[in-house]
Structure formats: C-alpha cells, structure tokens
Amino acid sequence: MKPEAPTDEDADDVEQRIYGAVFDSVMNQRLTPGTKLPEASLCELFGVSRSVVRRVLQRLAHDYIVQLRPNRGAIIAMPSPEETRQIFEARRGLETLVVRLATQNATARDLSELRQQLRQEHDAMHRFDQPAWARLASSFHLRMAALARNPILERYLAELVSRCSLIVALYEPPGNAACEHDEHERIVDCLARGDAEGAARLMDEHLRELERNVSVQRAAPERTLAHLLGMA
C-alpha cells in the first residue's frame, strides 16, 4: 500500500512547527543576527522537503525575521543602526498607546496574572537564566498588548518585539537584561492605580533605556543549527 499523502492540515502543522522553532530561538536569543539557515540542514532537522522549508523562509522573511539573499541562502536578519533607531521609535509610539489602553481595560484578574509573570521574571533574574529572562521580558510586552484589547495593535507590536529581540541579540552586551524587571513592576503599579499617563511615561523611558543599552559589538554563533534551534 502507498503511504497516505500528507493533508493540507498536516502541511500547515509542520510549517508552523518550523516557523515556531526559528521564531522562538530568535526570541530566546539562541539564533543571533547573521546566523545562516541552510535549506538542506532545515530539511534534515525537520524531515521535510525543500518546498516546505522555502515556504517557511518566505514567511519568516515577510515578518522581518530572516533575510533571503539571492544565490546565498537565508540568514537571521541583521538590522542596521539606522533601522534600529526607527524600530525603537515606532515601538515607543505604539507601546505608549498600548499601555494607555491596557490601563483602561485591565481587570483585577489581568493584574493578578501580570504580577505572577513578574514573579517569574524575578526568579529567572536571580537564577541568571538569560534565555528565560529574555523570553519573559518579551512576553510581558505582548501580554500588555493583549490587555489593550486591540488585535491590530497586538499584531503590530508582536512584529516590533521580534525585531527588537534581534536588535538586542545583535547589539546588547552579553549578560545584560533584555528589560529591567523593576521597570516592569512600576508600569504594572500604574495600571493598578489607573494611571494611564504615568504608565505611558514609564514605558517610554523604559524603551529609551533599552535602546541606550545596545552596543555595536556582536559575537558570531559557534554552535550547530540544531543546538541553536533548541533541538540538540
């Protein structure tokens, strides 16, 4: 008997799995800007054809996570200093609006869940668990966007957060926090008090400080693609 052909749903699942592996590895700073993503290696790691890998790489390029270079393959995107400035400028404008809306819409349960996330951040910080710290820091901002109750803003912010994660991986000195835990706490305190303008001011300062912390040095990755994707 011939094996059954994969369904459209199966194909969607495997493409999402590959996309998620790359995206999560960028967010957790395992995959740094400039890292090569050879099609053959991705095919072998995930047991799929080149056509599947190419579709995923196209999606990642659309979301600014990878750059597709003609005849040279795909790499994790490498934002320039000018692009970095523009991305942070856009993110500050978006997130100050997000926290104003979140202050209006957050429920007591939402605030309790934010406090729980802050405790997880605190624990990761004291374990010196940099990947968990980076992941939770990004997740805090995305959770705040969800509380704005505006899916369009949430989608745009998800793109900017992923691009900022690339920038942090490229420019921020090793060992620094992607975000300062205490600054997150003060923003949540403003939400709890209903202080929308205070939350917006603190978010603006928070993102300006994050931008100031980046430098222009970057270390090349030394591990295999499987390690960088968290698969080895």
Side-chain angles (χ1 to χ4, degrees):
M1 289 179 60
K2 282 186 176 181
E4 291 186 8
T7 65
D8 289 344
E9 185 175 352
D10 292 335
D12 289 344
D13 285 347
V14 73
E15 286 182 23
Q16 188 55 42
R17 185 162 60 90
I18 300 168
Y19 182 101
V22 175
F23 181 87
D24 289 345
S25 296
V26 169
M27 295 292 284
N28 293 333
Q29 299 178 330
R30 291 193 299 268
L31 279 174
T32 57
T35 303
K36 293 180 180 178
L37 295 175
E39 287 183 8
S41 297
L42 290 170
C43 291
E44 183 178 353
L45 284 171
F46 291 96
V48 295
S49 67
R50 282 184 180 267
S51 62
V52 171
V53 166
R54 285 171 182 166
R55 285 197 297 271
V56 175
L57 291 175
Q58 288 286 349
R59 284 181 57 197
L60 289 163
H62 179 268
D63 292 341
Y64 302 98
I65 296 166
V66 307
Q67 293 175 354
L68 300 179
R69 306 171 303 168
N71 304 317
R72 292 190 295 160
I75 60 170
I76 299 299
M78 299 178 66
S80 68
E82 176 60 15
E83 187 180 2
T84 295
R85 184 194 65 76
Q86 293 170 351
I87 289 170
F88 272 101
E89 184 176 67
R91 184 172 171 182
R92 286 196 306 273
L94 189 62
E95 286 216 62
T96 52
L97 174 58
V98 159
V99 293
R100 286 188 177 98
L101 293 172
T103 304
Q104 296 172 17
N105 295 321
T107 65
R109 179 175 179 178
D110 292 329
L111 291 170
S112 176
E113 290 175 351
L114 278 172
R115 300 283 188 195
Q116 174 61 31
Q117 180 154 343
L118 290 175
R119 286 192 287 273
Q120 293 173 0
E121 276 188 23
H122 184 269
D123 290 345
M125 178 178 66
H126 286 277
R127 291 197 312 270
F128 301 100
D129 187 343
Q130 184 76 3
W133 199 351
R135 183 181 68 253
L136 288 164
S138 295
S139 178
F140 172 84
H141 290 269
L142 296 176
R143 184 182 288 265
M144 197 71 68
L147 297 183
R149 311 287 193 247
N150 185 318
I152 296 172
L153 288 177
E154 187 175 358
R155 186 168 68 249
Y156 287 151
L157 185 60
E159 178 189 315
L160 287 172
V161 167
S162 69
R163 295 181 75 178
C164 280
S165 182
L166 279 168
I167 290 164
V168 169
L170 177 59
Y171 291 130
E172 191 172 56
N176 280 17
C179 283
E180 289 297 334
H181 172 74
D182 291 348
E183 294 171 5
H184 284 179
E185 284 191 322
R186 289 196 291 273
I187 290 168
V188 174
D189 288 343
C190 283
L191 263 66
R193 294 194 301 269
D195 181 4
E197 291 308 310
R201 177 179 52 79
L202 287 173
M203 182 62 79
D204 182 82
E205 293 172 358
H206 173 54
L207 294 173
R208 288 181 187 276
E209 182 64 20
L210 177 59
E211 184 178 4
R212 281 193 292 268
N213 283 343
V214 299
S215 72
V216 294
Q217 302 300 318
R218 176 175 61 89
E222 297 177 356
R223 293 177 293 170
T224 67
L225 183 59
H227 278 95
L228 296 172
L229 287 169
M231 299 174 65

